[in-house]
Amino acid sequence: MPPFDVPEGDPFGPHNLPYGEFSPSGSSDSADRRVGVRLGDHVLDAGAAATALDFAHADLLTAPTLNPLLAAGPAVWAEVRESLTAWVTDPAHRAAVEPLFYELTQVTLHLPFEVADYVDFYASEHHARNVGQIFRPDAPDPLTPNWKHLPIGYHGRAGTIVVSGTDVVRPSGQRKAPADPAPVFGPSVRLDIEAEVGFVVGVPSAQGTPVPLTGFRDHVFGLCLLNDWSARDIQAWEYVPLGPFLGKSFATSVSAWITPLAALEAARVAPPERTHPLLPYLDDSAPGVEPGGYDLRISVAINGQVVAEPPFSTMYWTGAQQLAHLTVNGASLRTGDLYASGTVSGPAERQRGSLLELTWNGRDPLELPDSKRAFLEDGDVVTFTAWAPGKDGSRIGLGEVEGRIVSG
C-alpha cells in the first residue's frame, strides 16, 4: 500500500505523526541516522523532505537526533508539525515526498533523542496504596505521610535508557530476605516491570528559576511509553534509607517514537479530585492552570498475552505538577531531560501496572499459556502498547515498548 494511503482509523495517521530516529536497514554507519516521522506502517525521512521542499527549518530535521528540534521551542514545533501535516496530506507535495518514505520493516529504529537526565516519579495513588499494603500491611494508612503533598521521585540513570526492542540483561546484586542471616549475591529472582509514561523535555531552563505549572507546554515536547524494569529483591535490600539504586539503574526501555503534545489535545482530562490542600506551586485548581491529565489506555502483554490495562487518566500527580516539583528547588532543565510518571495502576486488579501488584508480591502468580509467573523468567518478552482518544472518534497510537529478558 502506498504510504499516503493510510487506512481509515489507523492510530498512526496524519493526525498523529510521532517523531523518531532511524537508519535504513543494513546501514551500520552512525552518520546515516536520520529524523523520521511515522505515518501508518511507513517512516518519512523528515530531513530529506525538508530539504526537497526548501523548508525554513530543514537544519532541525536533518540532524541525526531530535535534540535540535526539541530545543527550538513551541513556536517552531507548531510550524514544523503544520508543514509535516501538509507534506503527507496535500497532493501537491506527493511527487516530492513519496520517494522519501521507507517501510517500517526496512529501517532500524534508534533511541530518538540524547537523554540528558532521568527522573522517575511515583504518581499513581492506586499503585502507591497497593505497594503500601504489600509492604506495610499493619500501617493505618498505606500511603506515606508526604504522598498527598508532593510527587515523590528519585533521580535515575540516563546512561541506561534503551530503545524498545533492546534485550534486557537480568541484573545481579545483593539480596536478603527478612529471614536470611546474611545477604547473598547473584542474579535477581524477582525481576519486574513498571508500565509508565515518559515526558520529554525540549526547552531548557535556567538554574535557580523554577518552572511553574503554566510552563509545562513551554518546556515539554511530547511523551512516550516507558518500562522502568525493577529488580524487587535487590531494591528491597538496598533502598533504605536513600531509595532506589541498583534495583532500577540497569535498564529503562522507552518507545522509539515520541508523540508530540500537540497530537494529544483531545486526550486532555482533569486529574482525580485532590483530597488534601496543595501548596501554591502545585495547586492545579488555581485560575489559568489547564487540566493536566491525559486519557491514555495502556496494555501490558507478557509473551503475547495481555495481563493488564492500566489507565493513565487515574494518575493523581500530573506531568505539569511533576515538572513544577522537579524544578521548584532551582534545579535546571536540559534539552533531552526525561522524567517518568512512575507505575500506572488503576483501581481494578487487571489495571495494575507491575507484577508486584498483579501477583501481590508473588503470592498469586499469573496464569500464562506456558506456565505461571510470579516474576519474569529468562526469555520472557514484555510489550506495552497504548492509545489515546483523538478528534472525531479517532485514536492516537503511542509507539510500543518491548524488551526480552536474557540471562546475565
Side-chain angles (χ1 to χ4, degrees):
M1 181 178 293
F4 291 97
D5 298 333
V6 179
E8 185 176 353
D10 191 303
F12 292 98
H15 58 300
N16 189 345
L17 300 182
Y19 295 86
E21 178 186 331
F22 78 99
S23 56
S25 292
S27 173
S28 59
D29 187 352
S30 60
D32 202 21
R33 296 189 176 187
R34 314 167 188 190
V35 171
V37 173
R38 180 171 177 178
L39 182 68
D41 292 329
H42 289 79
V43 182
L44 173 65
D45 184 335
T51 300
L53 296 169
D54 198 24
F55 181 49
H57 299 296
D59 59 322
L60 303 179
L61 297 177
T62 53
T65 75
L66 284 175
N67 289 58
L69 176 61
L70 299 181
V76 173
W77 301 341
E79 188 175 345
V80 171
R81 180 172 172 80
E82 181 180 10
S83 296
L84 283 166
T85 303
W87 298 346
V88 301
T89 58
D90 188 340
H93 300 303
R94 190 161 190 152
V97 173
E98 187 164 12
L100 306 177
F101 278 98
Y102 293 80
E103 294 182 13
L104 274 174
T105 56
Q106 297 176 331
V107 303
T108 299
L109 298 174
H110 306 285
L111 192 65
F113 63 101
E114 295 176 1
V115 182
D117 278 316
Y118 171 54
V119 172
D120 189 37
F121 283 95
Y122 189 48
S124 165
E125 180 176 357
H126 299 292
H127 173 65
R129 286 191 177 278
N130 287 337
V131 171
Q133 289 170 10
I134 290 171
F135 292 114
R136 299 182 299 277
D138 298 326
D141 187 346
L143 297 180
T144 54
N146 59 350
W147 203 92
K148 285 294 184 79
H149 297 278
L150 56 86
I152 297 170
Y154 75 92
H155 199 162
R157 189 73 177 269
T160 51
I161 307 291
V162 297
V163 70
S164 174
T166 304
D167 286 348
V168 175
V169 178
R170 182 178 297 273
S172 291
Q174 290 192 31
R175 60 180 190 268
K176 179 185 178 299
D180 292 344
V184 297
F185 180 88
S188 170
V189 296
R190 302 173 76 84
L191 187 56
D192 200 357
I193 61 173
E194 289 191 343
E196 305 192 21
V197 172
F199 295 88
V200 180
V201 173
V203 178
S205 66
Q207 188 168 358
T209 305
V211 175
L213 289 174
T214 54
F216 175 74
R217 290 173 181 263
D218 297 328
H219 293 274
V220 174
F221 174 79
L223 51 78
C224 62
L225 287 180
L226 181 149
N227 187 349
D228 198 34
W229 307 89
S230 299
R232 300 297 184 189
D233 43 357
I234 296 173
Q235 180 182 0
W237 174 233
E238 73 176 359
Y239 86 106
V240 178
L242 294 182
F245 188 43
L246 299 181
K248 296 278 194 174
S249 62
F250 59 95
T252 300
S253 298
V254 298
S255 169
W257 301 104
I258 308 302
T259 303
L261 293 185
L264 296 166
E265 284 303 299
R268 293 177 67 89
V269 293
E273 181 181 357
R274 277 61 177 91
T275 57
H276 291 59
L278 297 177
L279 292 171
Y281 79 97
L282 292 172
D283 185 4
D284 54 0
S285 67
V289 178
E290 299 176 294
Y294 284 94
D295 182 9
L296 311 178
R297 325 287 178 88
I298 303 171
S299 290
V300 176
I302 299 177
N303 300 334
Q305 177 173 314
V306 174
V307 298
E309 296 180 309
F312 193 70
S313 59
T314 63
M315 299 296 278
Y316 191 87
W317 296 106
T318 69
Q321 288 171 316
Q322 291 164 46
L323 187 68
H325 187 66
L326 192 159
T327 60
V328 74
N329 68 342
S332 59
L333 298 174
R334 293 192 291 173
T335 297
D337 279 355
L338 174 68
Y339 67 96
S341 63
T343 305
V344 181
S345 292
E349 288 187 12
R350 192 173 167 81
Q351 294 177 332
R352 297 169 179 171
S354 68
L355 290 175
L356 176 69
E357 300 166 86
L358 286 166
T359 70
W360 212 251
N361 201 23
R363 184 193 68 188
D364 306 316
L366 295 176
E367 293 280 356
L368 296 181
D370 58 342
S371 62
K372 294 183 178 181
R373 287 292 186 284
F375 291 94
L376 296 175
E377 298 182 3
D378 291 349
D380 283 346
V381 176
V382 179
T383 308
F384 298 168
T385 56
W387 63 274
K391 292 182 179 180
D392 303 321
S394 64
R395 290 189 176 191
I396 305 293
L398 276 67
E400 72 174 24
V401 172
E402 185 169 279
R404 179 172 64 100
I405 305 302
V406 299
S407 62

